[in-house]
Amino acid sequence: MNTKQLLGNVAKWFHKYLLLGEEGDPASWAIFLVLVLAYLGFSLGLVKAFGTTLVLEFTRYAHDNAAHLYIARTIIDNGEYSRLANLGTVWLPLYHLVLMPFTVIDKLYVTGLAGALLNAVFVATTASTIYLVLRGWLGLVFAFMYGFSVYSIIHASSSYMVPIGQFLAFAATYYALRYNETGSLRELTKATALAMAASTARYEAWLVLLAITLAVVLREAGKRNWVIAAYVPAMWLGVVGWLIYNWAIFGNPLEFIVGVFPVPPGTISSSSIISHIHGSLIAS
Amino acid sequence: MLIPYFSPIVAMAVAITHTLFILYWGAYILHASTILAIYDALFPAPVFYWGLFNLVVGNLFLLYLSLYMVSDTRYSRLAPYALLMPLYWYLVGIIALIAVFAPRAWRKTER
């Protein structure tokens, strides 16, 4: 297997598993590979020059970089205070849960590459999903316009939360459009699962959820197709789960609206590894 | 696709988790502190969180998988029942408990 085939297979693999069975085509694989390599190159360049991608904090745009890395790690590596409640409220939990295994590796945590590795894949997949929606030259142009915009590059090299939300919301929209074209309920199931996941990643995605729900109801209501009743609640399970989490941990299902602490106060153990690393980061 | 290999493992993990959670919640409701103490000793944080992961992610995975499997088939009218999937695992849990503690009470098919 030569390098070209290997890269093609890697891109196909990511498409297949991140986009729930959508294999893409050579153009979408090319978009994915070009963008991932560009983002990783930029991130590694930042690490070589400054020792960490957290310097992106100085752009005053990705200023929550360190906080997201910290929350992800504090769930499992905070001495006696390690607990699920450290996910806090305000910020939705999915990104921190996905990031968690990567932040355990000290090298990835300190350099910020834990977030950069994940986000590079998420932003690149969003770009190739844009191509898959539009297709043709228009798709290529818009995918690269999105992929090489300054914000996308900053997102892809940081541990910012936006990319996972965008990726899931775009993927859900892609399948919702396919369902609209074909009427296939399997496409709708994929849209449902992705929209549910998106709603646990970013609050903006709740609007996408609402839009897909309205589209589905308006499309099927006239046909009196009651089977559709199964898909709408399945879509809102993430929102319901977030309300239950807030109720269970903070005693108020709407704590994420009124709460002020992304992390509950008094949860930092002075003996934990993270406090040492943060101490040395602040000192440097 | 990994799903054909993955789903039986997920199903077993979810069934075992539900069986254990029935006992746990039963003890919690009945204020059975001895059983709760045994649970605390048996399930340190990593094991507890693994169970919680199965409870949440396993259920969602199997719910969407069931929804996907009945969609676009002649059984697609059964799709709303896929939402009852989590309840199904509790029933499996009750059966498992009956099988262990009162095997004679198991109502076998009459032949």
Side-chain angles (χ1 to χ4, degrees):
Chain A
M1 190 186 288
N2 60 33
T3 318
K4 199 176 165 184
Q5 280 175 327
L6 180 73
L7 288 173
N9 284 341
V10 168
K12 201 173 167 182
W13 189 90
F14 274 106
H15 274 69
K16 200 172 173 183
Y17 287 101
L18 287 175
L19 294 176
L20 303 184
E22 169 60 63
E23 293 194 357
D25 58 24
S28 72
W29 304 337
I31 293 167
F32 177 84
L33 286 172
V34 168
L35 292 178
V36 163
L37 292 175
Y39 299 148
L40 290 181
F42 182 62
S43 302
L44 291 172
L46 285 176
V47 172
K48 193 166 166 49
F50 303 104
T52 174
T53 63
L54 296 177
V55 287
L56 287 170
E57 300 261 332
F58 297 117
T59 60
R60 299 187 67 188
Y61 181 67
H63 53 271
D64 292 329
N65 258 332
H68 292 307
L69 286 168
Y70 171 77
I71 289 178
R73 184 150 173 168
T74 192
I75 302 164
I76 46 170
D77 180 29
N78 199 359
E80 59 184 303
Y81 297 107
S82 306
R83 57 188 186 211
L84 196 66
N86 291 353
L87 279 173
T89 183
V90 183
W91 277 321
L92 281 159
L94 186 67
Y95 184 60
H96 300 132
L97 290 171
V98 175
L99 191 60
M100 189 174 69
F102 294 89
T103 54
V104 179
I105 303 163
D106 284 346
K107 198 80 180 166
L108 295 182
Y109 178 68
V110 176
T111 56
L113 283 175
L117 288 174
L118 273 178
N119 285 4
V121 171
F122 290 143
V123 178
T125 315
T126 310
S128 57
T129 313
I130 292 173
Y131 167 79
L132 289 171
V133 170
L134 295 171
R135 301 276 176 178
W137 284 106
L138 196 66
L140 271 178
V141 169
F142 275 90
F144 279 117
M145 269 175 70
Y146 167 82
F148 283 122
S149 78
V150 175
Y151 293 122
S152 292
I153 295 170
I154 292 176
H155 283 156
S157 300
S158 67
S159 45
Y160 211 44
M161 267 176 84
V162 171
I164 190 170
Q166 279 184 346
F167 148 64
L168 290 166
F170 266 87
T173 311
Y174 171 64
Y175 280 113
L177 289 170
R178 288 241 306 236
Y179 151 73
N180 192 36
E181 282 166 18
T182 62
S184 162
L185 291 177
R186 289 205 161 177
E187 307 290 2
L188 180 60
T189 311
K190 290 180 183 177
T192 301
L194 289 162
M196 187 282 296
S199 72
T200 61
R202 291 290 293 179
Y203 291 109
E204 299 95 291
W206 292 18
L207 289 176
V208 176
L209 203 63
L210 194 65
I212 295 177
T213 305
L214 281 176
V216 167
V217 170
L218 290 175
R219 191 179 191 278
E220 301 291 338
K223 298 177 193 168
R224 297 191 178 279
N225 184 2
W226 303 119
V227 168
I228 219 68
Y231 296 86
V232 174
M235 221 179 282
W236 286 87
L237 282 177
V239 175
V240 174
W242 182 233
L243 295 178
I244 292 172
Y245 165 85
N246 273 269
W247 175 63
I249 304 279
F250 300 98
N252 176 11
L254 298 177
E255 181 69 21
F256 62 93
I257 299 172
V258 294
V260 289
F261 295 109
V263 178
T267 54
I268 302 167
S269 155
S270 58
S271 64
S272 68
I273 299 172
I274 42 172
S275 65
H276 287 299
I277 291 172
H278 267 270
S280 59
L281 270 180
I282 292 161
S284 63
Chain B
M1 290 289 279
L2 284 173
I3 286 176
Y5 304 100
F6 198 53
S7 49
I9 298 167
V10 174
M12 276 191 284
V14 172
I16 292 167
T17 306
H18 276 279
T19 312
L20 296 174
F21 266 81
I22 287 175
L23 287 171
Y24 179 76
W25 284 334
Y28 195 77
I29 291 165
L30 298 171
H31 299 285
S33 52
T34 321
I35 298 176
L36 290 176
I38 293 170
Y39 256 85
D40 283 345
L42 280 178
F43 301 103
V47 182
F48 176 80
Y49 283 128
W50 187 245
L52 198 63
F53 176 83
N54 282 334
L55 188 77
V56 178
V57 179
N59 268 309
L60 285 175
F61 177 81
L62 290 164
L63 190 153
Y64 287 113
L65 194 65
S66 325
L67 210 53
Y68 184 79
M69 293 317 285
V70 295
S71 299
D72 295 341
T73 67
R74 61 198 167 109
Y75 300 110
S76 61
R77 68 193 160 75
L78 297 175
Y81 297 105
L83 295 177
L84 299 175
M85 210 64 192
L87 189 66
Y88 169 75
W89 295 111
Y90 280 108
L91 296 177
V92 170
I94 291 168
I95 291 168
L97 290 174
I98 291 172
V100 171
F101 295 108
R104 283 171 189 281
W106 192 320
R107 301 207 172 98
K108 294 186 178 69
T109 313
E110 286 182 21
R111 292 178 189 276

